[in-house]
Amino acid sequence: MPKETKRRDTWFACLQANDYRLTKPRKTVINVLASSRQALNPTEIFDLAREEYPSLGLVSVYRTLETLEELNLIQRVHQPEGCKSYIAAFSGHQHLLVCEGCGRMVYFDGDDIASLVERVEQESGYQVNEHWLQLFGRCQACQ
Amino acid sequence: MPKETKRRDTWFACLQANDYRLTKPRKTVINVLASSRQALNPTEIFDLAREEYPSLGLVSVYRTLETLEELNLIQRVHQPEGCKSYIAAFSGHQHLLVCEGCGRMVYFDGDDIASLVERVEQESGYQVNEHWLQLFGRCQACQ
DNA sequence: ATCTTATTGAAAATGATTTTCAATTTCAGT
DNA sequence: ACTGAAATTGAAAATCATTTTCAATAAGAT
Ligand SMILES: [Mn+2]
Ligand SMILES: [Mn+2]
Ligand SMILES: [Zn+2]
Ligand SMILES: [Zn+2]
């Protein structure tokens, strides 16, 4: 079974486990998001999903995004061009590496920044709780 | 001379050096932004600036923000609650540390992540050009 | 002080997102 | 499979943020 299919089924199960109904609009939006290698904004999701389910309404895309984000299944991606697109969330603490050419994203982990955080805490007097780290570059195909 | 005054005058000079006229609306918006310790969104800037110059129009806030960003005097700040606020930019490569309590921000430097970047390049096949790093925590006053 | 032109604020236009609501669909209980 | 209660839907209207338009004003060069 391909990875995206597995993810899709996990999301379906998660919705049901949280008493959400498994409707056609939701399933279609999930199909699009669970199989995308790049972050998509509401309109992009709408256009792709309509190929599979033409009577889908844009409102349902917004509503489904809200639900999926609440369930931590997707996350908003911040980029210089805007912060309105979403991609499947990784479970656990991870960071994104974004291709500036094609938009393809991969997750990476690594908390090599622990010592940096410690130093900054010393110097600033702040107590650090969280960090955002995102790398931008070019994927193999786009180099 | 206090630091904010110095920054304000630098910005005034930068505008003039780029053939922008030094108008009341621009000066007022700059006064607000150059002296703020936290990021402000257009409406917040508008409200604060109107205390000094009541006939200011909101459009001018938007226009001035655009100009100042182009001149690299301010930068947009991305936060979980939104990405519409601006703060004075630091010259050179720096990162932000944001207080989750009061919003107060400080810059820090440190490219301790060079080795991390190298490792991720190896593992992913991407070529990394840029990185975003932002820390969130609590400032001394808010602890 | 005058002139040229950039800049302004009000109002209208646009674009994205949210709310409202009657019709439809899901799903639990039979 | 059938029924009914309740969640969910899409269309349309409403809201909110931002941009555009435009006539009036103000900055700065002469
Ligand atoms: Mn990390
Ligand atoms: Mn850095
Ligand atoms: Zn690429
Ligand atoms: Zn604080």
Side-chain angles (χ1 to χ4, degrees):
Chain A
M1 175 161 26
K3 199 200 293 183
E4 315 88 42
T5 306
K6 195 179 155 201
R7 174 149 58 198
R8 198 197 55 186
D9 291 341
T10 307
W11 292 12
F12 287 175
C14 183
L15 278 180
Q16 290 195 303
N18 287 82
D19 295 325
Y20 290 102
R21 292 186 178 174
L22 231 49
T23 66
K24 198 94 192 242
R26 279 177 183 153
K27 283 196 245 180
T28 314
V29 168
I30 287 179
N31 282 340
V32 168
L33 271 169
S35 65
S36 175
R37 313 189 128 287
Q38 50 187 104
L40 302 169
N41 66 35
T43 315
E44 290 167 338
I45 295 167
F46 181 61
D47 291 339
L48 287 168
R50 282 197 134 206
E51 291 175 11
E52 179 185 330
Y53 180 55
S55 65
L56 176 71
L58 179 56
V59 214
S60 291
V61 174
Y62 280 100
R63 290 193 275 228
T64 304
L65 285 173
E66 195 183 350
T67 304
L68 294 176
E69 192 178 27
E70 258 164 31
L71 295 172
N72 292 308
L73 298 174
I74 59 172
Q75 67 169 74
R76 186 188 287 267
V77 178
H78 299 260
Q79 290 180 267
E81 311 81 43
C83 308
K84 296 177 176 177
S85 25
Y86 290 84
I87 196 163
F90 202 96
S91 53
H93 182 86
Q94 294 263 308
H95 304 287
L96 274 178
L97 168 54
V98 184
C99 177
E100 292 171 323
C102 66
R104 182 172 302 201
M105 300 186 179
V106 297
Y107 281 95
F108 66 91
D109 61 2
D111 279 317
D112 298 23
I113 64 165
S115 64
L116 167 61
V117 167
E118 207 168 306
R119 200 202 77 218
V120 172
E121 281 183 327
Q122 295 285 325
E123 289 175 7
S124 65
Y126 278 57
Q127 182 199 323
V128 174
N129 302 322
E130 204 192 336
H131 61 261
W132 277 2
L133 173 62
Q134 206 167 129
L135 304 182
F136 298 90
R138 304 209 142 245
C139 76
Q140 229 141 18
C142 289
Q143 275 170 34
Chain B
M1 174 160 32
K3 198 199 292 183
E4 317 86 44
T5 307
K6 196 179 154 201
R7 173 149 60 198
R8 198 196 55 184
D9 291 341
T10 308
W11 293 11
F12 288 174
C14 183
L15 278 180
Q16 289 195 302
N18 288 83
D19 295 325
Y20 289 102
R21 291 185 181 174
L22 229 49
T23 65
K24 198 99 191 238
R26 279 176 184 152
K27 284 197 245 180
T28 315
V29 168
I30 288 178
N31 281 340
V32 168
L33 271 168
S35 66
S36 175
R37 314 190 126 287
Q38 51 186 104
L40 302 170
N41 66 35
T43 315
E44 289 167 339
I45 296 166
F46 181 60
D47 292 338
L48 287 168
R50 282 199 131 200
E51 291 175 11
E52 179 184 332
Y53 180 54
S55 65
L56 176 71
L58 179 56
V59 214
S60 291
V61 175
Y62 280 100
R63 289 192 277 229
T64 304
L65 285 173
E66 196 182 351
T67 304
L68 294 177
E69 192 178 26
E70 258 164 31
L71 295 172
N72 291 310
L73 298 175
I74 59 172
Q75 68 169 73
R76 185 188 289 268
V77 178
H78 299 261
Q79 290 181 268
E81 311 82 42
C83 308
K84 296 175 174 177
S85 27
Y86 291 85
I87 195 162
F90 202 96
S91 55
H93 183 85
Q94 293 263 310
H95 303 286
L96 273 178
L97 168 54
V98 184
C99 177
E100 292 170 324
C102 65
R104 182 173 301 201
M105 301 186 178
V106 298
Y107 282 95
F108 66 91
D109 63 0
D111 277 317
D112 298 23
I113 64 166
S115 65
L116 167 62
V117 167
E118 207 169 305
R119 200 201 75 216
V120 172
E121 281 183 325
Q122 295 286 324
E123 290 176 6
S124 65
Y126 278 57
Q127 184 199 322
V128 174
N129 302 323
E130 202 191 337
H131 62 261
W132 277 2
L133 173 61
Q134 208 168 124
L135 304 184
F136 299 89
R138 304 210 142 245
C139 77
Q140 230 141 19
C142 289
Q143 276 168 32

